[in-house]
Amino acid sequence: MPIDWIWGLIGGLLIGTGGAVYLLGNGRIMGASGIIGGIVDGSGRGTLWERLVFLAGVALLPVLLMPVYREVDTHITDNMAVLVAAGLLVGVGTRIANGCTSGHGVCGMSRLSIRGFVATACYILAGGVGVVLFRHVLGVI
Amino acid sequence: MLNLFIAFLAGGLFGAGLFVSGMTDTTKVQGWLDVFGNWDPTLAFVMGGAMIPMAIAWLIRRRRVTALTGAALPPPPSREIDSKLILGSVLFGIGWGLAGLCPGPSIAALSYGGPGLYVFLAAMAAGMAVAPLLRARLDRTVPAE
């Protein structure tokens, strides 16, 4: 599936351009968990509108692109226990670590932040072990 | 007002990128993490591609005093590797592997993720709501060096 990695690269360039615009435009690091978390726990009250408008852009562009691009299926599991456990882990984990794939991964590693590299190594390793364990050993996903 | 326009533009680019790259397809994320299965390299191209414009932006940042809106630019990154960073990232990674979703794509897929996505989002919000308590606890039990 060579077309998939080309779209991956194009999508990656778009994501990085978004991060560049957010940094040089507003002076902010584009981290999805931080932007959402600041709304949820109230710590981002002072920049609430900026956060909401950012997330509106994230959610809206796929709606606009859907007719001209391709059918997408998220293949999200219908196992409620898995979804609840995964959501809790992602929510707690990203906020304790102060970043996720966008903040620590894209924005952190591209500025050679040691925290970005350590966090990314940890979540990729844990994710890899998790998928292998849950899929091949336990068979729950 | 300018900062809201910029936030919308940045969010839009982020959402468009997540969408076209296929990162809202959980099988692509899990397929990349699953080195013992039918390995899918897409995520590496997304990450690599995203870091190119971002690295250029960090280089430009060095020559600037403020952002376009006049806002302060972020300070140099902290170098502190603490238990919160490690533990938090490990917990996040397990959840990421379990569902194939991380925070960005979970918002990008809002219009087409279906009920399963809403369950994930509600649980993620709950996790984010309790995280400050856990963070405070970790700060107390693990003394700073």
Side-chain angles (χ1 to χ4, degrees), chain A residues 1 4-5 7-30 32-34 36-37 40-41 49-51 53-63 65-66 69-70 72-77 80 82-102 104-116 118-120 122-124 126-132 134-136 140-141, chain B residues 2-4 6-22 24-28 30-37 40 42 45-55 57-58 60-61 64 66-69 71-82 84-86 88-99 101-104 106-113 116-117 119-120 123-132 134-135 138:
Chain A
M1 34 182 168
D4 280 15
W5 68 258
W7 280 115
L9 190 61
I10 295 169
L13 290 168
L14 286 168
I15 294 167
T17 306
V21 166
Y22 210 39
L23 172 69
L24 299 173
N26 285 3
R28 302 181 63 86
I29 292 172
M30 191 184 76
S33 60
I36 304 166
V40 173
D41 67 18
W49 281 106
E50 193 184 289
R51 291 165 191 269
V53 166
F54 177 91
L55 294 176
V58 177
L60 185 64
L61 258 287
V63 179
L65 288 172
M66 197 125 12
Y69 183 59
R70 57 178 177 182
V72 270
D73 190 341
T74 54
H75 297 106
I76 290 174
T77 175
M80 288 297 145
V82 166
L83 284 168
V84 170
L88 285 171
L89 286 165
V90 170
V92 166
T94 54
R95 290 302 278 161
I96 291 177
N98 206 19
C100 58
T101 350
S102 47
H104 278 314
V106 175
C107 295
M109 290 200 297
S110 63
R111 76 194 298 209
L112 305 179
S113 153
I114 181 83
R115 279 172 59 85
V118 170
T120 304
C122 286
Y123 63 69
I124 287 177
V129 171
V131 167
V132 170
F134 295 125
R135 177 174 286 171
H136 299 296
V140 290
I141 56 171
Chain B
L2 177 64
N3 73 315
L4 294 184
I6 289 168
F8 185 74
L9 180 67
L13 285 163
F14 186 39
L18 289 169
F19 179 73
V20 302
S21 64
T24 59
D25 182 350
T26 57
T27 54
K28 294 200 82 61
Q30 290 176 326
W32 185 76
L33 288 170
D34 186 5
V35 286
F36 292 117
D40 185 330
T42 311
F45 286 92
V46 182
M47 265 282 182
M51 279 201 272
I52 298 167
M54 206 54 225
W58 286 118
I60 298 172
R61 183 242 173 273
R64 296 195 57 101
T66 64
L68 193 69
T69 56
L73 285 159
S78 156
R79 306 186 56 84
E80 195 190 354
I81 308 298
D82 54 11
K84 282 181 294 184
L85 185 76
I86 311 262
S89 297
V90 167
L91 294 177
F92 163 46
I94 297 170
W96 188 40
L98 255 181
L101 283 167
C102 52
S106 73
I107 300 294
L110 205 59
S111 62
Y112 56 94
L117 179 76
V119 172
F120 175 87
M124 183 176 84
M128 286 178 165
V130 299
L134 239 105
R135 209 160 37 196
L138 285 167

